[in-house]
């Protein structure tokens, strides 16, 4: 589903160049949950940005569903982001002018799903993260953890094959965090693939494999503990 | 330094009323580090907002340095927020048009500290959270955890008597998180007071006391474990 071939990301140039990531090579298969851990600034969000076609590598290749992202048109990339890849961003990226329900329904509507159906699916996704009663709230009227769970619900809706979650439980208490990880695991057991960035070893333990980054480089790749 | 007397916060009214917090009564003495834990949506950020004069209670009283916040003019409240209380917000609130250094220096400059001195103090604060090399970066060019540490540095500068930290380590790896808690502890040992909202029991263990909230109510109040 996802492959990195010596992918690298460098910001700036010359004496100001910052190598945020790489070169990194990795593979994520169908149904696999891959966790990525590492210190602050080690390249985790950068890696997810490349995987999700939100950014391009400075060198090397990133392939999703076997296709090199650099070879896709802007239109094809947008379609991929809209349909195939779900994101939970580190800074959430909820639209403040939309309610929780509308935020979750939006990707479906953008992809042509009729409004009533999009809203129904969105409502079910909010119920799954225990937010059904808050569907009519705007993001500013929700707690930090409630906002995070809206972002999670939005990432899950639709027939996504790849879920990218950047520290999706940072603002959640441990019970709610385990609820979310259980859902991520269930999604993978049902065939989706996911890459989870986390600082929490207990959450990484839900994964099939854990990669460790430091200063943009892979320093370890090991199976997660057997649950 | 901080006292809540049956303080309550209700959003909306009538059938749409949401009791986010309270009634809550509590006291934080000089040099004390108080941790607050609880599930998502239990009222933690709401409590900090009242403590920091960013919001007003619907009922009850909040006193900082013995003064009822409701009795202070807008000017006096602004001065209190600028000088006496440091915040690390859950959504960080960094100004995107300012560099890390400028963000940290800003409260000092607004309070009349001369620019060179403000910048020197800000630089030292960034060094303390291991960000000295990134002082010239804008927030968008920093990782999530680096941004969080800029927010922490900003909260510490100046002669603040009360530090309010809303999940200040959510985006940090464990080593960096412990660094920050160590500094918060050192600030309290030097006489400041702090209220730390955290989901991490290991971080709460740095506190003198831990309060637990659930559905806006205090359900437990116990000494933290001895370190
Ligand atoms: N502006 C608002 N209008 C209505 N309800 C609100 C508003 N802000 C917060 N709430 C509600 O008040 C309750 C407490 O919110 P608060 O942000 O204090 O929770 P929290 O403990 O900080 O949660 P988290 O751990 O998720 O950050 C929640 O149920 C939330 O939905
Ligand atoms: N736009 C940018 N310009 C320059 N440097 C950047 C930019 N974005 C990120 N960086 C740098 O690249 C490195 C990796 O950033 P990245 O956001 O991937 O880290 P991270 O592992 O997600 O960290 P965190 O755990 O703090 O979120 C960091 O050193 C960061 O300062
Ligand atoms: Mg990151
Ligand atoms: Mg909160």
């Amino acid at each position: 589903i996802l492959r990195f071939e010596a992918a690298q990301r460098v910001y700036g140039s010359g004496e100001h160049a910052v190598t945020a990531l790489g070169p990194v090579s990795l593979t994520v298969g169908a149904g696999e949950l891959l966790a990525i851990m590492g210190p602050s600034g080690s390249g985790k969000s950068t890696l997810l940005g490349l995987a999700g076609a939100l950014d391009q590598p400075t060198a090397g290749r990133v392939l999703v569903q076997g296709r090199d992202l650099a070879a896709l048109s802007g239109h094809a990339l947008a379609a991929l982001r809209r349909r195939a890849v779900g994101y939970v961003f580190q800074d959430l990226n909820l639209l403040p002018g939309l309610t929780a329900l509308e935020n979750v329904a939006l990707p479906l509507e953008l992809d042509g799903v009729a409004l009533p159906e999009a809203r129904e699916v969105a409502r079910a996704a909010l119920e799954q993260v225990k937010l059904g009663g808050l569907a009519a709230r705007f993001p500013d009227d929700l707690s930090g953890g409630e906002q995070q769970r809206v972002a999670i619900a939005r990432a899950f809706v639709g027939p996504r094959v790849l879920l990218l979650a950047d520290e999706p439980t940072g603002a959640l208490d441990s019970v709610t965090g385990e609820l979310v990880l259980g859902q991520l695991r269930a999604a993978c057991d049902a065939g989706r693939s996911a890459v989870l960035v986390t600082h929490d070893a207990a959450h990484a333990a839900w994964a099939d494999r854990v990669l460790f980054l430091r200063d943009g480089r892979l320093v370890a790749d090991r199976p997660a503990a057997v649950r």
Side-chain angles (χ1 to χ4, degrees), chain A:
Chain A
I1 296 297
L2 174 65
R3 180 193 302 279
F4 276 51
E5 298 178 349
Q8 184 172 28
R9 183 61 171 102
V10 178
Y11 293 101
S13 57
E15 72 185 79
H16 297 290
V18 175
T19 300
L21 180 74
V24 164
S25 298
L26 65 83
T27 306
V28 181
E32 186 173 10
L33 174 54
L34 172 69
I36 298 184
M37 298 185 79
S40 178
S42 56
K44 304 178 300 295
S45 295
T46 301
L47 188 155
L48 285 193
L50 295 183
L54 299 168
D55 193 12
Q56 297 176 19
T58 314
R61 299 201 309 159
V62 177
L63 298 89
V64 175
Q65 291 178 293
R67 296 178 291 171
D68 185 349
L69 296 183
L72 296 186
S73 67
H75 181 72
L77 280 175
L80 184 110
R81 289 193 293 265
R82 210 172 50 244
R83 295 175 189 147
V85 182
Y87 309 83
V88 184
F89 296 95
Q90 204 167 4
D91 63 1
L92 306 187
N93 250 5
L94 296 177
L95 299 178
L98 299 184
T99 64
L101 188 72
E102 290 164 341
N103 265 286
V104 177
L106 183 62
L108 300 169
E109 294 175 52
L110 289 175
D111 217 27
V113 175
L115 189 66
E117 183 187 345
R119 298 284 171 94
E120 185 179 326
V121 170
R123 191 172 299 277
L126 285 170
E127 304 264 348
Q128 283 209 331
V129 289
K130 311 287 178 192
L131 285 182
L134 303 183
R137 295 268 191 101
F138 289 95
D140 281 353
D141 298 328
L142 293 170
S143 81
E146 287 163 349
Q147 291 177 31
Q148 202 166 42
R149 283 182 276 151
V150 173
I152 290 160
R154 181 184 60 185
F156 274 77
V157 293
R160 302 187 188 285
V161 301
L162 179 59
L163 304 175
L164 304 177
D166 200 344
E167 303 189 37
T169 55
L172 304 181
D173 58 274
S174 61
V175 169
T176 311
E178 292 281 315
L179 170 75
V180 167
L181 265 289
Q183 285 171 338
L184 193 60
R185 180 76 259 173
C188 292
D189 291 343
R192 300 197 206 194
S193 303
V195 182
L196 164 70
V197 166
T198 182
H199 286 300
D200 189 321
H203 290 167
W206 286 82
D208 300 298
R209 224 163 74 204
V210 185
L211 300 189
F212 294 85
L213 284 180
R214 178 181 303 277
D215 298 323
R217 310 294 288 240
L218 275 178
V219 298
D221 178 344
R222 63 188 66 173
V226 175
R227 292 197 61 76

